[in-house]
Amino acid sequence: MRIALSQLTTGPDPARNLGLVREQTRLAADAGARLVAFPEATMACFGTRLAPVAEPLDGPWATEVRQIAKETGAVVVAGMFTPAADGRVTNTLLATGPGVETSYDKIHLYDAFGFTESATVAPGSRVVTFDLEGVRIGLATCYDVRFPELFRAHADAGAVLSLLPASWGAGEGKRDQWELLVRARALDATLWVAAVDQADPAATGAPAAPGAPTGIGHSAVVGPDGTVRERLPAAPGLLIADIDPDEVAAVRRAVPVLANRRLP
C-alpha cells in the first residue's frame, strides 16, 4: 500500500491550512498514494488560542477535508481540534475517505518540558484503528510515542501500521528522542510506524510561538524491524512510501516479542 506523509508548517488560520491540505492531498494522490497523513495541529498551529477555532467533526473544516478525500479518492488523516464538554478542546485526528470515517482523541497529553497541554486540551481514552484495503491501521498523536502500550494495543487489535502525526517540541536532544522513540515503538509492537511531524518553522522562516511545540520535521517511515525506510529533513516535504503488510508477519515470526510477553 502506498502512503504519503505531508510534512508542512501550519499557521493560525484554519482556512489557509485547509488550502495546504487540498494541495498536498492532490499531489499525493497523483503519486498513487491511497492514504495521506498530515501532522498534529493541521487545523491550527500550537500557540493559537484553540477554543475559538475548535469545531465538531460535522463542522465546516472537517466537512471540507471529507470533500478533499472524496475528490482525490484518498484517505486523509489530519490533526484538528474539537470542542470538549468541559470547555477545553480535544486534540483530534480525523481519518476520512473512501470506506473510512473515524477519529482519535489524543490520550497522552504533553505536560512536559514546561508545556501544559492539559490546561486547554481534554484527554481521550479510546484506542482507535481502521481498515484500508485489508490493512489495519492504528492512530496515535505526538506525545503518545512515549507510551509503548498504545502501540502494542494497536498490534493486539490487528494493526500492522501505526500512524503518528505530531507537532514535536524543539529543544536540546529532542530530535534524537523523536527518532529513537519512533524506531522503538516499531520494535516494541513489530509493526510499521509512519510518523509525520510539522516541519521546522525555522527552515522556512515562518514565525513560531515561543514555547509552543511547533515541530522539528524529520518525518519518517520505519519498518517493523526498526529500520528507517524513508525520511525527510527539517524543511517541508512530501514523503511517498510503500508499505508491505506481509513484512510484519515475517518479523513477528523471527522476533515474537508480542507472543513472548509475560506482563500485561
Side-chain angles (χ1 to χ4, degrees), residues 53-193:
V53 301
E55 295 181 7
L57 287 166
D58 60 355
W61 199 87
T63 298
E64 189 59 28
V65 174
R66 290 188 187 93
Q67 182 61 31
I68 292 167
K70 181 179 179 181
E71 290 171 359
T72 59
V75 170
V76 176
V77 177
M80 61 178 295
F81 299 100
T82 56
D86 62 2
R88 293 182 289 175
V89 303
T90 51
N91 187 339
T92 300
L93 294 179
L94 170 67
T96 186
V100 174
E101 186 62 42
T102 191
S103 63
Y104 166 73
D105 294 333
K106 184 178 182 182
I107 293 173
H108 303 99
L109 300 182
Y110 183 55
D111 290 357
F113 294 101
F115 192 80
T116 311
E117 187 177 12
S118 64
T120 55
V121 178
S125 59
R126 188 170 57 96
V127 175
V128 176
T129 64
F130 66 90
D131 294 337
L132 175 60
E133 297 180 348
V135 176
R136 185 155 296 174
I137 300 166
L139 294 175
T141 304
C142 202
Y143 193 56
D144 281 334
V145 76
R146 294 183 182 271
F147 301 88
E149 56 270 26
L150 177 58
F151 295 80
R152 293 191 185 111
H154 290 166
D156 288 342
V160 297
L161 166 65
S162 290
L163 286 181
L164 179 70
S167 187
W168 197 253
E172 184 178 355
K174 293 297 294 298
R175 176 183 167 184
D176 287 340
Q177 293 176 32
W178 166 251
E179 293 177 342
L180 173 63
L181 287 163
V182 170
R183 295 181 68 189
R185 296 299 78 86
L187 285 167
D188 292 334
T190 48
L191 43 60
W192 290 86
V193 175

